[in-house]
Amino acid sequence: MDIITGHVNSDFDCLASMLAASKLYPDAVMVLPGIIGKDVRKFLNLYRDSFHFLSAKDIDLEQVERIIVVDTNSKSRLEKSFVKLLDRPDIEIIVYDHHPLSENMIKAQKVTIEDVGACITLIAGEIEKLNIEISPLEATVMALGIYADTNCLTLPGTTSKDAYTLAFLLSKGVNLQVIEDYMTNPLSLNQ
């Protein structure tokens, strides 16, 4: 069994990266960490039936042969049950990330780390190169990952590669209303 997972307290970039990795590794199952961010939880409440995410408790760890880790290169940011897998010599480990190297770095056979604004930029770039089809909903989730992690392309770590990847995703039918719904944080009555 191959699994795709990301960091605990998953954000939109992590969710989008998991989804994109599932396009590169179609036989792998996406496994959400036990804790996900509030906005991601709100999104999944509406769209959960559109995707096939499992939880860590649904996985028989003895059956795992490969783990694809996205949006982190640090063992300490993974679901505890998956950290144990990283020490097994029979498991292939693949990492995609955009964060600086960590002291507690995952030792992997394949590591793709690049200084871009969002992890999804790296994986969606591979999807484009391989000419893998994605649906408008998948493109929307992936674009949401870029918009969220780059603060709508305004953070200093944003690169031209992020903007180019966003243009590619827009060409695949991104629903900008969904982006606006999750990127707009209206003030509460008290605020």
Side-chain angles (χ1 to χ4, degrees):
M1 168 189 282
D2 296 350
I3 63 171
I4 300 167
T5 194
H7 59 79
V8 172
N9 203 21
S10 300
D11 55 18
F12 281 120
D13 187 28
C14 184
L15 183 77
S17 297
M18 289 175 61
L19 179 60
S22 76
K23 302 302 279 186
L24 297 177
Y25 303 92
D27 294 331
V29 294
M30 297 181 289
V31 184
L32 286 171
I35 302 171
I36 57 176
K38 179 182 74 165
D39 291 338
V40 171
R41 190 171 38 252
K42 181 178 149 187
F43 176 85
L44 288 175
N45 283 340
L46 289 176
Y47 294 99
R48 184 174 298 276
D49 292 342
S50 301
F51 308 103
H52 187 66
F53 288 103
L54 298 177
S55 67
K57 67 181 182 207
D58 297 325
I59 301 300
D60 178 358
L61 297 179
E62 294 301 316
Q63 299 299 315
V64 175
E65 296 174 350
R66 177 166 48 182
I67 182 168
I68 299 105
V69 178
V70 299
D71 203 26
T72 185
N73 64 68
S74 174
K75 289 180 184 180
S76 62
R77 294 192 70 202
L78 286 183
E79 179 81 31
K80 285 183 177 35
S81 58
F82 295 145
V83 173
K84 298 172 189 170
L85 293 176
L86 302 177
D87 295 327
R88 282 189 21 207
D90 61 321
I91 294 185
E92 180 185 3
I93 303 167
I94 299 169
V95 173
Y96 291 92
D97 196 16
H98 69 117
H99 298 99
L101 300 179
S102 70
E103 291 179 17
N104 198 11
M105 186 162 171
I106 298 166
K107 290 177 179 47
Q109 288 81 7
K110 179 183 176 191
V111 177
T112 302
I113 296 179
E114 194 174 323
D115 190 17
V116 292
C119 183
I120 183 59
T121 298
L122 303 173
I123 307 171
E126 286 192 35
I127 287 171
E128 181 183 21
K129 280 182 208 162
L130 295 171
N131 203 26
I132 296 171
E133 280 303 311
I134 57 174
S135 71
L137 180 57
E138 291 167 334
T140 300
V141 174
M142 293 177 200
L144 191 53
I146 293 174
Y147 278 118
D149 248 35
T150 65
N151 195 32
C152 299
L153 303 178
T154 63
L155 292 178
T158 304
T159 67
S160 60
K161 199 169 190 176
D162 296 298
Y164 178 85
T165 302
L166 188 54
F168 161 69
L169 294 170
L170 287 167
S171 77
K172 296 298 181 181
V174 169
N175 182 335
L176 290 173
Q177 183 60 57
V178 172
I179 303 293
E180 182 181 12
D181 290 347
Y182 289 93
M183 292 307 300
T184 306
N185 293 318
L187 297 176
S188 70
L189 198 54
N190 289 338
Q191 291 171 322

